[in-house]
Amino acid sequence: MLMIPGPTPVPERVLQAMAKHPIGHRSADFSAIFGEVTENLKWLHQTKNDLLILAASGTGAMEAGIINFLSPNDKVLVCTNGKFGERWGEVSEAYGLNTQYVKADWGQPLDPNAIKAALDAGPDIKAVIVTHSETSTGVINDLQTISSYVKAHGALMMADTVTSLGACSVPVDEWNLDVVASGSQKGYMIPPGLGFISVSEKAWEAYKTAKLPKFYLDLGPYRKNTAKNTTPFTPAINLIFAMQSALQMMRNEGLENIFTRHDRLKRATRAAIKAMGMPLYASDDCASPAITAVMPEGLDAEQIRSVMKKKYDIILAGGQDALKGKIFRIGHLGFVSDREVLTAIAALEATVIELGGKTTPGSGVAAAAAVFTQK
Ligand SMILES: *Cc1c(COP(=O)(O)O)cnc(C)c1O
């Protein structure tokens, strides 16, 4: 049972769709599927912008976003409050961009006013890069407010929405997000291997003069081919089958229901952890809908993960970098229901008790159940 922030559980029906023999990608049959998938991804992104599909993980989609619309030495503002924000700084530096930072401590959200101040001080900033849901800490940033400041400034708004898309509303058009990147193994209910990127008209304007080198990730050919329901290179055909099936499930569930389900899973998980007497790493007002980070004071987070895996076959994520051993992270993203959260919390209670932690048996399950049975 995978309770990590990617890869996430894959529905049986999606696995079946993937198990088909590949078909030729230069065929009418494939184009029909590809067109349907692209349309449904736009629905999920709430956008009329181009939506391009890459054979890449989320990092590949973000790299494409960074390199297609900028030139060497362009000034970019990278906003970091965790591991993934730091990664986009590394990509920017690797490509020789003039990389400026606005930082917040791990576990804290980005301060939109600090970003506004940096924008006011930097009229020549070309792009602002923000990780919406910072998976390393379980913090969600106020992308909507940040994006409004970026729009007023005129820079391009580039967002990593890898663990927010499919978990909470990311209205790409309404929030004026120019470049939005995500990956298939998170909120999309399929295995790793596809990257998604949406591109606004304003970003395409910048593309015309952008000079960073690119070839496989040059989004121009993807745009041209996507308009004809095809791809510039061989697509990950079976993952497209999977995506078709998963998107049909999402359309059946409906956007609002998907978002309220994730919100409920988040609230139940947090209520359970609090009731068990364990501190949460992120506070309530900036808690990611995809993942909950827990600091089990007095217990080794890695030991908890180890017992959860060995005894209950439930996989939790650990902490990264300085947080290793200090936190564990419970993913509740994608194909996850109340049942998985109740099961994980029950196993966690038993694990904590086995390791000599102080918690009242049943307290976590009762708190989660109370959220799930709220009228
Ligand atoms: C998983 C993740 C990514 C992408 O990682 P890949 O391993 O390249 O798929 C990017 N950003 C965030 C916030 C993530 O959680």
Side-chain angles (χ1 to χ4, degrees):
M1 188 167 145
L2 281 176
M3 298 289 284
I4 58 176
T8 60
V10 179
E12 190 65 29
R13 146 178 182 175
V14 173
L15 292 171
Q16 299 277 357
M18 281 180 72
K20 281 189 300 208
H21 201 283
I23 60 175
H25 55 289
R26 304 293 178 214
S27 65
D29 284 347
F30 183 76
S31 284
I33 296 170
F34 194 73
E36 176 188 327
V37 167
T38 303
E39 270 318 301
N40 283 339
L41 284 170
K42 286 187 186 183
W43 164 81
L44 184 64
H45 286 68
Q46 306 176 59
T47 189
K48 294 191 170 60
N49 289 343
D50 284 304
L51 192 296
L52 309 173
I53 305 172
L54 308 173
S57 75
T59 303
M62 269 308 279
E63 180 159 335
I66 293 170
I67 68 179
N68 273 269
F69 311 105
L70 296 165
S71 300
N73 298 315
D74 273 356
K75 193 183 274 186
V76 296
L77 189 66
V78 177
C79 308
T80 71
N81 58 336
K83 183 90 181 157
F84 288 99
E86 287 173 10
R87 180 178 296 175
W88 312 137
E90 287 171 36
V91 175
S92 303
E93 290 184 19
Y95 280 97
L97 295 168
N98 176 352
T99 310
Q100 319 271 312
Y101 292 90
V102 170
K103 297 187 182 182
D105 288 340
W106 285 42
Q108 297 298 317
L110 293 166
D111 175 5
N113 289 323
I115 296 168
K116 185 175 185 302
L119 285 167
D120 289 343
D124 54 342
I125 291 170
K126 292 279 170 32
V128 177
I129 302 175
V130 168
T131 301
H132 188 197
S133 164
E134 182 43 89
T135 315
S136 61
T137 62
V139 165
I140 191 148
N141 289 307
D142 184 358
L143 183 59
Q144 181 178 14
T145 301
I146 295 168
S147 186
S148 71
Y149 296 152
V150 175
K151 181 171 166 59
H153 171 281
L156 291 174
M157 180 69 240
M158 300 184 173
D160 164 357
T161 60
V162 178
T163 52
S164 59
L165 252 161
C168 60
S169 186
V170 185
V172 168
D173 293 355
E174 193 188 317
W175 288 2
N176 294 297
L177 307 175
D178 294 303
V179 177
V180 175
S182 56
S184 60
Q185 80 277 26
K186 308 288 176 93
Y188 295 84
M189 308 195 294
I190 77 166
L194 294 184
F196 309 105
I197 184 158
S198 77
V199 181
S200 72
E201 270 314 314
K202 181 169 149 192
W204 286 123
E205 257 328 289
Y207 173 87
K208 289 183 190 159
T209 55
K211 292 196 178 55
L212 283 179
K214 52 194 174 285
F215 184 82
Y216 185 69
L217 293 178
D218 184 341
L219 294 178
Y222 287 88
R223 179 189 208 190
K224 266 196 208 122
N225 282 277
T226 299
K228 295 179 284 177
N229 290 333
T230 186
T231 55
F233 311 109
T234 309
I237 295 164
N238 288 53
L239 287 174
I240 301 290
F241 294 160
M243 200 66 259
Q244 178 188 31
S245 176
L247 282 164
Q248 286 167 354
M249 287 178 69
M250 288 188 218
R251 287 211 82 136
N252 285 340
E253 187 176 1
L255 278 184
E256 277 313 310
N257 290 336
I258 293 172
F259 304 150
T260 51
R261 173 168 55 86
H262 282 88
D263 181 65
R264 187 173 73 244
L265 298 174
K266 171 189 84 170
R267 286 186 293 111
T269 305
R270 294 177 67 82
I273 297 296
K274 282 184 203 167
M276 290 174 68
M278 284 193 282
L280 291 157
Y281 190 62
S283 60
D284 284 347
D285 54 357
C286 63
S288 168
I291 181 147
T292 298
V294 183
M295 283 194 118
E297 278 173 342
L299 294 176
D300 179 354
E302 290 304 296
Q303 240 182 330
I304 290 177
R305 291 180 60 221
S306 164
V307 173
M308 287 287 282
K309 175 164 192 286
K310 283 206 194 94
K311 257 189 131 156
Y312 304 105
D313 207 16
I314 297 176
I315 316 299
L316 304 178
Q320 291 165 292
D321 294 353
L323 291 177
K324 191 155 180 82
K326 297 207 169 68
I327 64 166
F328 63 86
R329 296 173 298 149
I330 306 171
H332 33 77
L333 168 65
F335 187 55
V336 179
S337 69
D338 301 4
R339 178 185 61 184
E340 279 78 31
V341 167
L342 283 171
T343 307
I345 294 299
L348 182 62
E349 283 186 357
T351 300
V352 167
I353 291 165
E354 175 175 335
L355 292 173
K358 277 193 276 301
T359 191
T360 311
S363 56
V365 171
V371 171
F372 291 144
T373 52
Q374 241 162 33
K375 287 276 160 21

